[in-house]
Amino acid sequence: MTTVLDSRLLGDVLRDILSPYDLPPVEDVATRRQLARTLLSGRDNGSFDGLALAYAVVAFCASTEDGAAEVLEAVGDNADVLVLDGVRGGYLLLPCAQDQHVGLARELHDRIGADVWMAVAWASRRDLESARSTAEDVLRIASGRAPGVYELRDVLADFAVLRQPHVAERLARMIEPVVAQQPLLDALRAFIGEDGNRAAAARLLDIHRSTLDHRLRLVERLTGCRPTSPRALLMLSVALTAHSLPQVPLPRTH
């Protein structure tokens, strides 16, 4: 089978992937939206004939309404893609095999010019509610990072904390004194973003390395975590996520 990495139109790629399912087209937009809502909410009782046995669940959000519209336009010509859309975000259900879901999402993302974040999870029809929940949480974490396509393994530590509210609350309290001081927050974020490279982080902030070192020492004093320790830096990164976890503009599925 032709892979999703070929430089053909996304519609051609989808047609190749979907052809083994021999799915009847769902022409009515409202019907496709209701099908997506039903499948994502776990209310599928197996009564929908002709639907795929498994889907890639793509939760997406965009920085603008126009960006979200680009996502919908990219899949609009394919009646087998089920969409539940909101103003700046939504869900896509793309029928595909398990080893194709990430590549298919990346192919779609590459064809969109706007700043768009996508989180993708794969599941059989009976597990789509769980896949939606996973993709939703991954998207919440990823939306604080650079636009792109993310899956669970990309944000695993943050995801584990997000699923333990009492741990997330404790970490959020720990990092609060740093968040309250913008120079320290900027220094920590730059240091994390540069994977612990002090020289690169100092260049990014346009400050002297000794200034960065001083701010990182203050971070340690306030939190008890030494940023130059890989284990502590991971904890500080997760704490920042726990403190500022955004809500993403996804439509309700229930």
Side-chain angles (χ1 to χ4, degrees):
M1 179 180 290
T2 306
T3 71
V4 296
L5 299 178
D6 290 342
S7 58
R8 297 174 301 142
L9 292 175
L10 180 65
D12 295 334
V13 175
L14 287 172
R15 275 189 290 274
D16 276 359
I17 291 175
L18 298 175
S19 59
Y21 296 109
D22 192 26
L23 303 178
V26 183
E27 301 292 350
D28 181 70
V29 173
T31 301
R32 291 168 65 189
R33 185 178 290 115
Q34 186 55 47
L35 276 173
R37 189 184 303 276
T38 300
L39 294 175
L40 291 170
S41 64
R43 299 198 303 269
D44 175 22
N45 58 10
S47 62
F48 300 111
D49 295 329
L51 295 183
L53 299 178
Y55 287 87
V57 178
V58 179
F60 71 91
C61 66
S63 58
T64 65
E65 293 182 24
D66 288 343
E70 281 192 46
V71 177
L72 301 181
E73 184 178 353
V75 298
D77 291 338
N78 196 298
D80 297 310
V81 177
L82 302 180
V83 177
L84 181 60
D85 55 312
V87 177
R88 290 196 299 110
Y91 300 95
L92 308 174
L93 286 172
L94 311 175
C96 69
Q98 185 173 8
D99 61 350
Q100 297 168 328
H101 67 294
V102 177
L104 188 57
R106 287 176 177 159
E107 171 76 13
L108 173 59
H109 190 275
D110 287 347
R111 299 184 179 279
I112 299 167
D115 286 344
V116 174
W117 292 259
M118 292 183 173
V120 58
W122 181 91
S124 63
R125 270 178 59 182
R126 68 177 179 274
D127 294 324
L128 287 177
E129 183 180 20
S130 176
R132 174 200 56 77
S133 179
T134 296
E136 186 176 297
D137 284 343
V138 170
L139 183 64
R140 291 175 65 198
I141 298 165
S143 60
R145 304 184 182 187
V149 175
Y150 294 83
E151 53 182 322
L152 178 57
R153 65 180 179 179
D154 297 322
V155 297
L156 200 53
D158 303 77
F159 183 88
V161 169
L162 178 63
R163 291 296 177 97
Q164 299 291 329
H166 65 287
V167 177
E169 182 180 351
R170 184 172 179 178
L171 287 173
R173 287 199 305 268
M174 179 194 76
I175 203 69
E176 177 63 39
V178 174
V179 174
Q181 301 186 51
Q182 193 65 45
L184 300 188
L185 178 60
D186 291 343
L188 181 57
R189 281 179 171 164
F191 193 58
I192 292 170
E194 296 297 336
D195 294 324
N197 186 317
R198 290 200 293 269
R203 284 195 300 270
L204 181 65
L205 294 169
D206 195 24
I207 60 176
H208 196 276
R209 178 167 164 170
S210 62
T211 303
L212 175 69
D213 288 342
H214 173 68
R215 293 176 183 177
L216 294 178
R217 285 194 296 269
L218 290 176
V219 169
E220 180 180 359
R221 187 180 304 169
L222 290 169
T223 63
C225 295
R226 181 164 53 89
T228 52
S229 162
R231 183 176 296 179
L233 186 63
L234 176 60
M235 183 179 295
L236 290 166
S237 176
V238 173
L240 284 177
T241 298
H243 185 275
S244 59
L245 201 64
Q247 296 296 320
V248 292
L250 293 171
R252 295 175 61 86
T253 58
H254 291 89

